[in-house]
Amino acid sequence: ALRGHRHWPQALPDVSPSERYDVVIVGAGGHGLAAAYYLARKHGITNVAVIDKGWLGGGNVARNTTIVRSNYFHPARRAFTEHALKLWEGLSQELNYNVMFSQRGIINLAHSSGQIDELARRGNAMSVSGVVTELLSVEQIRERVPLLDTSPDARFPIKGGMIQHRAGTARHDAVAWGYARAAAKLGVHIIQNCEVTGIARSNGKVVGVETSRGKIGAARVALAAAGGSSRLAEMVGLRLPLENHLLQACVTEPVKPVLDSVVTHGVHNFYISQTDKGELVLGGDLDGYNNSTSVGDLPPLEAMVRTCLTLFPSLGQLRLMRSWGGVVDMSMDGSPILSKTSVDGLYINAGWCYGGFKATPAAGDVLAELIATDRTPELAKPFTLDRFASGRVVAEEGHGPRPW
Ligand code: FAD
């Protein structure tokens, strides 16, 4: 059956590193590839390499549960993710690649009247800035998600919820490949299996990177390496306020369409959606201790399944098909770092915790502007590295559900 695919053109040229680039981006995840694309498309900077120690899209960009939303309480997080959401809405056309962005809506469940008040407060804050959301009664939730146990004697009775209709999911590999192909068409080099082992400096300024495939010169270097960020920053003596943790997810065997929204629990860290193939995707909490490997423990998976069955008892017949993990770079305030550094010509995009997929197009767009202009773009101003010294942190915690 595969014979018919033999003559397909290669999506990306297989390039070897050149001696020198204007910009080197470390990390061929969603953020690094998107930044390279916008550098070329919007700023005309095409002498760019995106370098990855593994394969294109082998990191969190293709390990995440693909939730895209902008329903944040904190104005800075909301503005950033809303910019991203607007870019998501035109991304398949922009890249000429179907990223399967599906605006199926995200429903945050509330299990107490206090939580309903909190949702109303967040919804009002969103509405003030033009991001539409709607509170749902239990009856409306039942109608929209009939499989949910909405009975009053459920383990965590549902009292109501909130929906952001424009939120949804996307196909993660397609996002990586879409940006990669579009960037490569504009002249960007995407170099796989090339680990950055050092960052070369001269007179306090970046001059390139040392890699497992030799030295590569660069006038500017950007780190977009998610779980690899701390180790890379240490190469220039920078200690980032980040910890590596493992986040796991799992999928069931595929079934016919049974769930056409993303649903999040209001008590435990748990959320669920259904892929276009029919698998139910379950996400939950961090493993709870520092970890830089992608091998996880069973208890977080058991907790996910337990919560799933309290909400959707009828899914108990399904078999789990597989689980996996990704190393997430957790920042101390739960918000990202998008910033210049103390090293001239070195920029950092990190600390996206468990919520960076939704930001991918905006993170790329803003990082590209930062690199191209050497000035902090408006949307990045709240997220500079110096906020941890000044105490001007951007903490969404306490204002809503966890930031997947
Ligand atoms: P990555 O794809 O991880 O890219 C970083 C790249 O850097 C990697 O490919 C790595 O190989 C490379 N690298 C690292 N060190 C080096 C080095 N020394 N040299 C060269 N290359 C290097 N976010 C959401 O918004 N919604 C969700 O539903 C969601 N769910 C998640 C579920 C799970 C299980 C996980 C693990 C994460 C989830 N996230 C979610 C978070 C999201 O996936 C990340 O925040 C985001 O993907 C990080 O950006 P990235 O795509 O650029 O990272």
Side-chain angles (χ1 to χ4, degrees):
L2 291 175
R3 281 210 342 244
H5 297 252
R6 266 191 310 192
H7 303 297
W8 279 25
Q10 208 170 319
L12 288 177
D14 199 8
V15 288
S16 297
S18 302
E19 255 178 45
R20 194 173 164 72
Y21 293 93
D22 292 336
V23 179
V24 161
I25 297 173
V26 186
H31 293 202
L33 292 164
Y37 169 72
Y38 292 114
L39 265 176
R41 218 258 296 136
K42 287 179 77 172
H43 304 278
I45 302 175
T46 54
N47 185 21
V48 176
V50 186
I51 298 180
D52 204 288
K53 66 177 179 184
W55 64 97
L56 195 167
N60 289 347
V61 67
R63 291 168 184 268
N64 71 79
T65 43
T66 81
I67 314 294
V68 173
R69 61 184 177 86
S70 67
N71 58 358
Y72 285 85
F73 180 81
H74 200 292
R77 298 297 303 270
R78 194 165 63 244
F80 204 99
T81 46
E82 181 58 21
H83 177 51
L85 193 45
K86 288 191 177 126
L87 292 173
W88 277 112
E89 283 167 341
L91 199 60
S92 294
Q93 288 77 9
E94 164 93 30
L95 301 178
N96 187 25
Y97 205 108
N98 187 0
V99 299
M100 296 167 76
F101 182 47
S102 156
Q103 293 180 288
R104 56 186 65 187
I106 184 167
I107 298 175
N108 301 136
L109 298 176
H111 306 273
S112 68
S113 52
Q115 281 188 330
I116 292 183
D117 287 351
E118 186 276 323
L119 288 181
R121 178 170 174 256
R122 184 151 56 96
N124 287 339
M126 288 167 62
S127 305
V128 166
S129 58
V131 182
V132 176
T133 183
E134 191 189 335
L135 283 179
L136 299 176
S137 65
V138 183
E139 291 68 38
Q140 285 171 306
I141 292 175
R142 189 178 301 128
E143 200 173 299
R144 194 160 170 138
V145 192
L147 281 194
L148 259 179
D149 182 358
T150 47
S151 60
D153 55 355
R155 174 74 183 83
F156 297 101
I158 294 165
K159 303 288 185 193
M162 185 174 84
I163 184 164
Q164 183 183 19
H165 293 281
R166 286 166 58 236
T169 56
R171 176 74 206 169
H172 38 26
D173 316 275
V175 175
W177 279 91
Y179 272 119
R181 193 181 69 171
K185 269 198 180 145
L186 295 171
V188 170
H189 283 185
I190 292 158
I191 300 160
Q192 307 179 64
N193 300 312
C194 181
E195 180 165 6
V196 171
T197 52
I199 297 171
R201 283 169 293 166
S202 172
N203 297 325
K205 191 178 172 353
V206 152
V207 291
V209 289
E210 282 144 30
T211 78
S212 52
R213 290 168 71 176
K215 284 190 182 162
I216 301 175
R220 283 163 281 181
V221 171
L223 309 181
S229 303
S230 297
R231 198 169 294 171
L232 282 155
E234 266 171 21
M235 293 173 190
V236 291
L238 266 179
R239 230 179 125 222
L240 297 178
L242 298 177
E243 281 185 5
N244 277 359
H245 284 262
L246 191 76
L247 183 64
Q248 300 189 69
C250 57
V251 285
T252 68
E253 60 190 324
V255 285
K256 285 183 179 173
V258 289
L259 180 65
D260 61 1
S261 318
V262 180
V263 176
T264 77
H265 196 214
V267 178
H268 294 111
N269 273 347
F270 173 77
Y271 58 106
I272 183 168
S273 66
Q274 187 170 23
T275 68
D276 293 342
K277 275 192 286 183
E279 304 147 341
L280 287 143
V281 185
L282 278 52
D285 216 342
L286 298 172
D287 272 19
Y289 52 88
N290 295 148
N291 189 349
S292 291
T293 76
S294 50
V295 182
D297 268 344
L298 263 183
L301 293 172
E302 285 174 344
M304 272 178 227
V305 171
R306 221 168 30 233
T307 311
C308 179
L309 296 188
T310 62
L311 289 173
F312 297 94
S314 58
L315 298 186
Q317 298 299 311
L318 288 181
R319 280 171 296 188
L320 275 191
M321 209 164 55
R322 61 178 185 276
S323 70
W324 65 92
V327 181
V328 290
D329 43 337
M330 302 297 295
S331 67
M332 295 297 108
D333 61 357
S335 289
I337 299 166
L338 233 168
S339 186
K340 292 188 189 192
T341 67
S342 50
V343 180
D344 200 10
L346 180 68
Y347 307 92
I348 181 145
N349 166 72
W352 282 97
C353 302
Y354 25 42
F357 180 69
K358 65 179 68 61
T360 301
D365 186 29
V366 173
L367 180 60
E369 186 182 337
L370 174 65
I371 301 168
T373 62
D374 195 40
R375 281 192 305 273
T376 306
E378 208 51 47
L379 282 173
K381 281 186 179 158
F383 303 114
T384 53
L385 196 46
D386 59 9
R387 75 176 185 272
F388 296 99
S390 67
R392 195 179 29 82
V393 293
V394 185
E396 173 80 7
E397 275 303 314
H399 293 307
R402 304 290 168 145
W404 307 292

